[in-house]
Amino acid sequence: MMKKSDLFRTFSGNASSFNEMYNRQGDSRPAYRVFRKWMETIPVPTLQHKQAEAEALFRRLGITFSLYGTEQTEERQIPFDIIPRIFSPAEWRILSEGACQRVKALNAFLFDIYHKKEIIRAGIIPEKQIMSNPFYRSELMDITPIGEIYVHIAGIDIVRVGEEEFYVLEDNLRTPSGASYMLENRSMMMRLFPEVFDLQNVAPVDHYPQMLLHTLQELVGETDGPHPCSVLLTPGIYNSAYFEHAFLSEQMGVELVEGQDLFVHNDIVYMRTTQGPKRIDIIYRRIDDDFLDPQAFQNNSLIGVPGLVKAYRAGNVLLANALGTGVADDKSTYTFVPDMIDFYLGEKPILNNVPTYCLSKKEDLHYALDHIEELVVKEVGGSGGYGMLVGPSSSKEEIDNYKKRILSDPDNFIAQPTLSLSTSPTFVDSTIAPRHVDLRPFVLSGKSTSVVPGGLTRVALKEGSLVVNSSQGGGTKDTWILKED
């Protein structure tokens, strides 16, 4: 059996990427020192037992996701790693302040492009970039959402490549998912290893659902009842994120509804109840724009609410997130976010973008085709890791086929250099090994902008893989933010 100390020696031996647990001298970084000392007291069989216990509990709770693109598309249990990812207070300040700054600028951008379009008139963003974007909703021009906020919940995907080097990979602004996994991961760690939380001052995350609800209620203000009436609108049980919808509605203390449970009368949204219609003030919607209202968008949608957009136009309901946010998390719009921060806030970005080639530009297209073996290529409207090419790990046949896709519609693609993502200690095959990770903190915007001290850490469980998405075989782990002593 491997000695306890050998677990960490194996991990510290990898030096090809930034090692979040060890510095170059082989010493534990400050954030991990207490945890490592405690971990060395735990026998390997105990860790194996805890890992098995976690898997059994997740299976029992029904914490699943859908894995598409394979012969089997049934619900799968999301892999969970029992080794947490730990950030120091100084590291978290960079991440949290940078994420909040970014979302403030994105909200200002969305308000601007649906009203005065000052950033276009200033020549910072080409008009075509906005008006030709498939996610831009011209029918929403001059409509002001309650509180002038478009993005109430944002998931900002961040990767690390050095001591204080963080990059934003993408902004998730339509219906960002993953908060339930963040909460369940913490609950699992406190159940498996309660004693370690007595040794370190770890910031809590369990208040996130109430933090979200308060953010939305604060925007609506006074209503006929003691509190604005809120619901979470789901497409239904067959949606891949249904577990999260049900979990969050329960934690927030709001009704989980489907389109058929709601109706609109005189531009006011009501919920059908056994006591009669009940007015709804806030809808946390997990349905994409196209399917939200068959009278306004896709008329064959069976999961939306007819007339909902009229109620939204009239200012009688808050939609979180607002309609039309997709234009801001499009991967081609992403390239302009640093300019937005400068234009709207007069600040320099705290978190940098990954250098990005827009293949709609001829020079960028030629460069990407010539260097595709070195790049990651993505569809501008893609998500979940689908439809992208990781050049260094792709075969010649895969690259040739992908080039044909690019050439058939260059405007639909962007390319980025392959970053050497940081590694976090991960329990695999009865040992601790380095695995690449990213982070999705959740930023809430209402009368103020804030972020819960934690987030969803996704881990590429396959050795050497850079693809962390659960839909592509990745897993998750708890994220610890250490508080100031």
Side-chain angles (χ1 to χ4, degrees), residues 29-302:
R29 298 187 189 279
Y32 278 90
R33 283 175 188 160
V34 173
F35 176 79
R36 180 195 168 174
K37 185 176 180 180
W38 170 83
M39 194 76 173
E40 287 179 332
T41 68
I42 309 300
V44 173
T46 300
L47 295 178
Q48 292 170 326
H49 173 75
K50 295 292 187 180
Q51 185 72 57
E53 184 180 348
E55 292 171 0
L57 284 168
F58 274 172
R59 192 179 303 114
R60 191 182 312 154
L61 291 170
I63 302 175
T64 61
F65 66 99
S66 291
L67 186 60
Y68 300 109
T70 66
E71 294 180 0
Q72 294 178 317
T73 57
E74 75 275 7
E75 293 291 296
R76 303 276 188 91
Q77 182 179 321
I78 189 164
F80 173 72
D81 176 45
I82 60 173
I83 309 297
R85 185 184 190 187
I86 308 175
F87 289 103
S88 69
E91 291 167 334
W92 179 241
R93 274 194 295 273
I94 297 172
L95 291 167
S96 59
E97 291 175 7
C100 288
Q101 178 196 56
R102 196 171 179 95
V103 173
K104 287 177 184 177
L106 286 163
N107 265 313
F109 165 73
L110 283 163
F111 185 86
D112 183 23
I113 63 172
Y114 285 111
H115 291 79
K116 296 181 179 180
K117 297 187 176 68
E118 292 178 345
I119 199 167
I120 295 175
R121 292 207 306 271
I124 293 171
I125 297 181
E127 185 173 14
K128 178 184 176 183
Q129 173 67 34
I130 305 302
M131 306 310 292
S132 299
N133 191 297
F135 296 108
Y136 183 74
R137 301 291 185 186
S138 58
E139 59 266 50
L140 301 178
M141 274 294 298
D142 298 321
I143 297 175
T144 301
I146 294 173
E148 301 185 358
I149 298 295
Y150 282 80
V151 180
H152 308 87
I153 311 108
I156 308 299
D157 290 348
I158 302 171
V159 296
R160 185 179 196 174
V161 298
E163 186 76 43
E164 295 185 354
E165 290 183 85
F166 299 93
Y167 288 92
V168 174
L169 277 183
E170 60 184 57
D171 308 290
N172 298 280
L173 310 177
R174 284 172 277 178
T175 55
S177 63
S180 62
Y181 300 137
M182 170 187 72
L183 297 170
E184 286 287 21
N185 288 349
R186 175 59 55 83
S187 177
M188 183 65 70
M189 288 298 291
M190 295 187 76
R191 178 168 181 163
L192 295 176
F193 304 108
E195 65 275 17
V196 75
F197 288 91
D198 294 331
L199 303 176
Q200 293 193 280
N201 197 1
V202 180
V205 296
D206 58 349
H207 61 295
Y208 170 81
Q210 293 308 310
M211 188 176 167
L212 168 57
L213 183 61
H214 175 73
T215 297
L216 302 179
Q217 290 178 336
E218 192 178 39
L219 281 175
V220 172
E222 294 184 5
T223 58
D224 294 337
H227 300 289
C229 187
S230 310
V231 296
L232 192 154
L233 178 60
T234 175
I237 61 173
Y238 297 109
N239 184 267
S240 61
Y242 183 75
F243 164 80
E244 173 155 295
H245 304 167
F247 177 86
L248 287 178
S249 69
E250 180 182 7
Q251 295 296 311
M252 293 171 69
V254 305
E255 291 287 343
L256 179 67
V257 299
E258 298 182 27
Q260 61 189 356
D261 299 318
L262 305 178
F263 69 94
V264 177
H265 178 67
N266 290 337
D267 296 342
I268 295 176
V269 184
Y270 294 91
M271 175 174 60
R272 294 181 172 90
T273 76
T274 55
Q275 286 79 39
K278 183 174 184 179
R279 179 169 177 170
I280 300 302
D281 304 295
I282 298 168
I283 299 178
Y284 176 17
R285 53 105 175 194
R286 298 298 293 262
I287 298 177
D288 289 340
D289 286 5
D290 285 340
F291 306 101
L292 200 56
D293 182 349
Q295 292 181 358
F297 303 123
Q298 289 196 17
N299 58 16
N300 61 348
S301 173
L302 300 177

Side-chain angles (χ1 to χ4, degrees), residues 332-473:
S332 59
T333 305
Y334 157 93
T335 61
F336 295 99
V337 176
D339 297 319
M340 296 177 199
I341 293 171
D342 179 41
F343 185 75
Y344 296 114
L345 307 181
E347 300 171 359
K348 292 183 178 180
I350 297 170
L351 298 174
N352 292 318
N353 273 17
V354 179
T356 302
Y357 302 96
C358 294
L359 305 197
S360 57
K361 300 177 182 177
K362 288 185 178 179
E363 60 271 26
D364 286 4
L365 174 62
H366 292 154
Y367 179 87
L369 292 174
D370 290 342
H371 298 83
I372 194 167
E373 295 86 356
E374 309 163 14
L375 302 172
V376 176
V377 189
K378 306 175 183 178
E379 295 175 337
V380 295
S383 63
Y386 295 108
M388 76 177 192
L389 177 88
V390 181
S393 60
S394 299
S395 67
K396 185 179 185 304
E397 182 181 4
E398 289 171 332
I399 289 173
D400 290 342
N401 289 336
Y402 207 92
K403 280 184 176 181
K404 293 175 184 177
R405 289 185 59 201
I406 293 172
L407 290 170
S408 68
D409 186 13
D411 291 3
N412 191 42
F413 296 91
I414 57 105
Q416 296 171 328
T418 307
L419 298 180
S420 181
L421 308 188
S422 63
T423 59
S424 177
T426 304
F427 190 65
V428 289
D429 299 328
S430 301
T431 189
I432 293 178
R435 292 293 184 265
H436 296 293
V437 290
D438 80 349
L439 177 70
R440 178 178 291 181
F442 295 93
V443 182
L444 302 179
S445 298
K447 290 190 174 181
S448 61
T449 303
S450 58
V451 57
V452 66
L456 176 65
T457 287
R458 300 181 297 180
V459 52
L461 294 174
K462 297 178 183 177
E463 185 174 4
S465 174
L466 297 172
V467 183
V468 299
N469 306 76
S470 299
S471 54
Q472 305 295 311

